[in-house]
Amino acid sequence: MASVTSLSDSVQQRLASALSATLPEAADADPLLRRSDRADFQANGILALAKKAKANPRELAAQVVSRVETGGLFKEVEVSGPGFLNITVTDEAITRNLAARAADPEGRLGVPYADAPGTTVIDYAQPNVAKEMHVGHLRSAVIGDSVVKLLEFTGETVVRRHHIGDWGTQFGMLIQYLDEHPHELDHKASEVTGEEAMSNLDRLYKAARKLFDSDEEFKTRSRRRVVDLQAGDPHTLAVWQKFVDESKIYFFSVFEKLDMDIRDADIVGESGYNDMLAETCRLLEESGVAVRSEGALCVFFDDIKGPDGNPVPLIVQKSDGGYGYAATDLSAIRDRVFNLKAHSLLYVVDARQALHFRMVFETARRAGWLNDDVQAAQLAFGTVLGKDGKPFKTREGETVRLVDLLDEAIERASAVVREKAQDLSEEEIAERGAQVGIGAVKYADLSTSASRDYKFDLDQMVSLNGDTSVYLQYAFARIRSILRKAGEARPAAHPELELTAPERALGLHLDQFAETVAEAAREYAPHKLTAYLYQLASLYTSFYDKCPVLKAETPEQVENRLFLCEVTARTLHEGMALLGIRTPERL
């Protein structure tokens, strides 16, 4: 694996050596290096060390500087203020570093794998069977998909789980209705679209609901069906399976539109844990983690009380013997830890379920299923708001259908692409429109910290200016266009050349890609990667405006600037791919 030591790591290592040579007791001290607007980097760690050693910080800093090995890397190291170090690296070091990244045989731009990768099970994109996906399902899918890509890129083994809502009392009504009207889900043609599948399900759901609310005998038959379903009656299960299959046709069509790879084997819904529920309850009760209270099996917590001051328990089994979400979620934890051998469990779920997951995780810890070696976390996300800052609804006050939203984004983006397109066919405009529209929706979601709410504003999302994916996609397409126009000139690194300020700024930022990816993966924070990529596109724009590429002064400078263009394009392409966003070659 050809990982490349970043400039900041190289600087850090040399400073640490100089520190321990000056103060042997500071062998493990951190120089506290960060990027700076006064120089390339600033080190602030000497202040704390001087305080500890009762030394004068400026004098200590000067001693450290005298011991720094400068060769090839440092252009200047100066003491500033009360004892900070301002560090400027050489132009040669910047170019050589990028050349090493570009030469990575694995095409990873020198990004290292994590030191000790493990296995993460990530639970995301959880639609409900026989129900339309709405805007609330967007965030779990988009955030989860990006976190999967980030973790896999750093070498983690990732098991995807789509915990779909495919079980529960509402199925009694649907199964009973379909049993009495057996042709309601028949398909006229062999190929059925997701839209048709959903309208079939929707029509059946409404008809069943109407009958259930108006006909007592049907209601009684439906309730009996729930018992049959839970008992595993083969005929009832076969009818239930029809709902699951029809829903999957619809789910896959939506995920395909979102340009997401959802595999059938990864869809393990609530029903997938049925066989474990009784044992989960038995284990919790026998170990004393759960106790019977008014007939129900409950877990109590000292710090969780209701408004009346009474404890609010996690109910694992209801007094009528039925199982709630807690039993399913706890069974899923057992499966993920003991069968899938996970080290980390990650749940990309709406922040409103935070209390439920806190109680479930604490219960699993008490039972010994989670411990120091196995961690569980909820990646809680905020709400999607309309332009008015209120939860996103249609004019009629209905929840917004996800498909309508995506179609509108594609339509808006296609208009933007058509307006700018010079030599694209209608077919290419449609393809690029989808890539730009879906990219815009994903980027708007991912560029907000997951825990915060965000406003869904399509005008803003498909804008060519500002922090949008369209801006990044156009930056990438512009670079590809320059590289196509280069003719005989080829990108090549020339470490002997002096760099201008915009070239240096771009080169130093390109060097930070690896640590940004590592941080975004470690913290499950795609928004840190979007911020990095937006800054990269902005720095490239500034470079492009101030530094002629094809008309540079010498052939070597042309090659070196083409090389900077190429590394920028590759970094944008790789970074956007980790967000699940396409970068078209031409726009």
Side-chain angles (χ1 to χ4, degrees):
M1 160 63 211
S3 72
V4 175
T5 305
S6 69
L7 289 169
S8 57
D9 279 352
S10 301
V11 170
Q12 176 103 358
Q13 285 159 16
R14 290 210 191 169
L15 286 180
S17 301
L19 266 175
S20 57
T22 310
L23 268 184
E25 66 268 31
D28 300 325
D30 184 351
L32 295 180
L33 194 70
R34 59 181 181 81
R35 287 296 309 277
S36 164
D37 46 9
R38 299 228 166 83
D40 295 337
F41 300 98
Q42 187 175 65
N44 303 340
I46 289 172
L47 295 175
L49 283 175
K51 198 172 174 187
K52 214 167 165 185
K54 300 194 169 37
N56 176 316
R58 271 192 77 92
E59 282 171 19
L60 181 61
Q63 286 177 305
V64 171
V65 170
S66 70
R67 285 190 165 86
V68 168
E69 182 208 327
T70 56
L73 179 62
F74 290 105
K75 184 177 180 184
E76 192 176 12
V77 187
E78 59 167 26
V79 181
S80 100
F84 300 130
L85 294 183
N86 281 342
I87 298 136
T88 306
V89 294
T90 63
D91 292 350
E92 180 187 355
I94 294 174
T95 305
R96 283 194 188 286
N97 174 280
L98 294 182
R101 292 191 178 286
D104 178 355
E106 290 188 35
R108 293 171 56 85
L109 295 161
V111 177
Y113 289 100
D115 291 338
T119 297
T120 296
V121 176
I122 174 165
D123 186 325
Y124 70 108
Q126 311 103 342
N128 291 314
V129 163
K131 284 194 179 162
E132 184 91 60
M133 285 173 76
H134 56 78
V135 67
H137 290 114
L138 178 68
R139 298 208 73 183
S140 175
V142 169
I143 295 167
D145 187 49
S146 177
V147 173
V148 167
K149 289 178 160 70
L150 279 162
L151 290 174
E152 285 183 337
F153 191 67
T154 59
E156 186 79 359
T157 300
V158 179
V159 181
R160 309 152 185 224
R161 279 290 173 265
H162 309 296
H163 191 89
I164 64 171
D166 64 354
W167 204 246
T169 51
Q170 73 278 16
F171 282 98
M173 167 186 96
L174 296 173
I175 292 166
Q176 189 59 36
Y177 188 87
L178 187 58
D179 213 24
E180 294 175 14
H181 306 80
H183 299 295
E184 282 297 301
L185 290 182
D186 290 356
H187 298 147
K188 294 175 183 63
S190 56
E191 283 291 306
V192 64
T193 65
E195 279 285 302
E196 287 170 62
M198 193 61 239
S199 74
N200 266 345
L201 288 164
D202 197 44
R203 191 183 63 244
L204 190 151
Y205 185 88
K206 284 176 177 154
R209 182 88 242 178
K210 195 173 169 190
L211 197 57
F212 186 86
D213 290 342
S214 62
D215 181 335
E216 281 303 316
E217 286 178 5
F218 177 73
K219 190 179 275 189
T220 306
R221 293 198 298 278
S222 298
R223 287 189 171 140
R224 264 190 231 127
R225 260 307 146 98
V226 178
V227 179
D228 294 343
L229 178 65
Q230 289 175 338
D233 168 57
H235 173 70
T236 302
L237 280 175
V239 180
W240 167 81
Q241 190 64 48
K242 285 186 179 174
F243 284 100
V244 175
D245 293 342
E246 192 79 3
S247 299
K248 281 185 179 177
I249 296 171
Y250 163 69
F251 295 159
F252 284 125
S253 74
V254 178
F255 289 126
E256 195 176 326
K257 189 165 281 196
L258 266 171
D259 194 15
M260 275 174 56
D261 171 32
I262 301 280
R263 302 181 294 235
D264 199 41
D266 302 331
I267 298 176
V268 182
E270 293 167 357
S271 62
Y273 305 99
N274 283 342
D275 297 348
M276 299 175 71
L277 300 178
E279 191 184 13
T280 296
C281 291
R282 182 177 62 73
L283 291 169
L284 291 172
E285 192 166 11
E286 284 176 5
S287 62
V289 171
V291 294
R292 291 277 162 192
S293 173
E294 295 173 27
L297 186 62
C298 302
V299 182
F300 289 92
F301 308 87
D302 293 340
D303 57 342
I304 300 175
K305 295 188 167 57
D308 53 7
N310 291 329
V312 175
L314 181 71
I315 299 173
V316 186
Q317 189 179 21
K318 296 179 241 176
S319 53
D320 64 3
Y323 301 104
Y325 290 125
T328 309
D329 285 332
L330 287 161
S331 300
I333 287 177
R334 285 176 53 218
D335 177 57
R336 292 165 188 188
V337 172
F338 300 112
N339 296 337
L340 300 175
K341 307 284 187 260
H343 303 102
S344 302
L345 307 180
L346 186 61
Y347 294 78
V348 188
V349 181
D350 189 319
R352 286 172 293 197
Q353 295 191 43
L355 180 63
H356 168 77
F357 279 102
R358 202 177 116 203
M359 292 160 89
V360 165
F361 296 159
E362 176 56 31
T363 301
R365 267 192 289 277
R366 290 181 191 176
W369 305 332
L370 296 175
N371 51 39
D372 291 346
D373 300 325
V374 186
Q375 306 292 328
Q378 180 192 2
L379 178 46
F381 55 82
T383 309
V384 181
L385 308 173
K387 279 189 195 179
D388 57 3
K390 296 187 179 126
F392 202 11
K393 296 269 196 268
T394 62
R395 286 204 183 101
E396 297 72 44
E398 299 280 318
T399 314
V400 180
R401 293 172 66 217
L402 184 50
V403 175
D404 293 342
L405 213 67
L406 300 178
D407 286 342
E408 192 182 345
I410 292 169
E411 204 177 301
R412 296 276 193 97
S414 301
V416 172
V417 173
R418 176 174 279 109
E419 202 175 299
K420 298 276 287 184
Q422 280 142 14
D423 52 357
L424 296 180
S425 66
E426 276 303 309
E427 198 179 325
E428 287 171 321
I429 288 172
E431 182 200 21
R432 307 291 197 283
Q435 292 177 347
V436 172
I438 296 302
V441 170
K442 287 184 177 181
Y443 187 89
D445 194 318
L446 295 171
S447 58
T448 310
S449 163
S451 57
R452 289 177 42 211
D453 300 343
Y454 83 99
K455 283 186 187 172
F456 196 95
D457 179 350
L458 273 176
D459 294 328
Q460 172 57 39
M461 288 179 191
V462 299
S463 163
L464 293 167
N465 306 312
D467 188 1
T468 64
S469 71
V470 193
Y471 175 67
L472 301 180
Q473 285 169 322
Y474 269 99
F476 176 80
R478 175 194 278 169
I479 301 173
R480 298 302 302 158
S481 162
I482 292 168
L483 292 168
R484 282 194 298 273
K485 286 178 188 153
E488 295 295 301
R490 286 278 166 267
H494 285 278
E496 74 282 1
L497 291 180
E498 270 188 40
L499 299 176
T500 61
E503 289 173 307
R504 289 184 57 95
L506 183 59
L508 284 165
H509 192 67
L510 284 165
D511 176 56
Q512 287 182 284
F513 181 58
E515 52 205 67
T516 304
V517 168
E519 186 183 1
R522 192 171 56 246
E523 297 178 15
Y524 309 133
H527 71 280
K528 296 204 162 171
L529 180 57
T530 63
Y532 170 87
L533 294 171
Y534 173 58
Q535 199 183 347
L536 178 60
S538 305
L539 288 167
Y540 179 79
T541 303
S542 163
F543 155 79
Y544 177 80
D545 289 344
K546 296 186 178 108
C547 306
V549 176
L550 300 177
K551 293 187 174 160
E553 288 167 21
T554 65
E556 290 76 19
Q557 201 173 39
V558 171
E559 289 178 350
N560 202 56
R561 286 181 178 171
L562 281 171
F563 166 73
L564 277 173
C565 288
E566 185 178 59
V567 179
T568 303
R570 284 178 58 190
T571 306
L572 277 171
H573 173 75
E574 189 59 70
M576 293 288 265
L578 292 172
L579 300 173
I581 299 175
R582 304 269 174 186
T583 39
E585 294 275 317
R586 295 170 194 263
L587 271 176

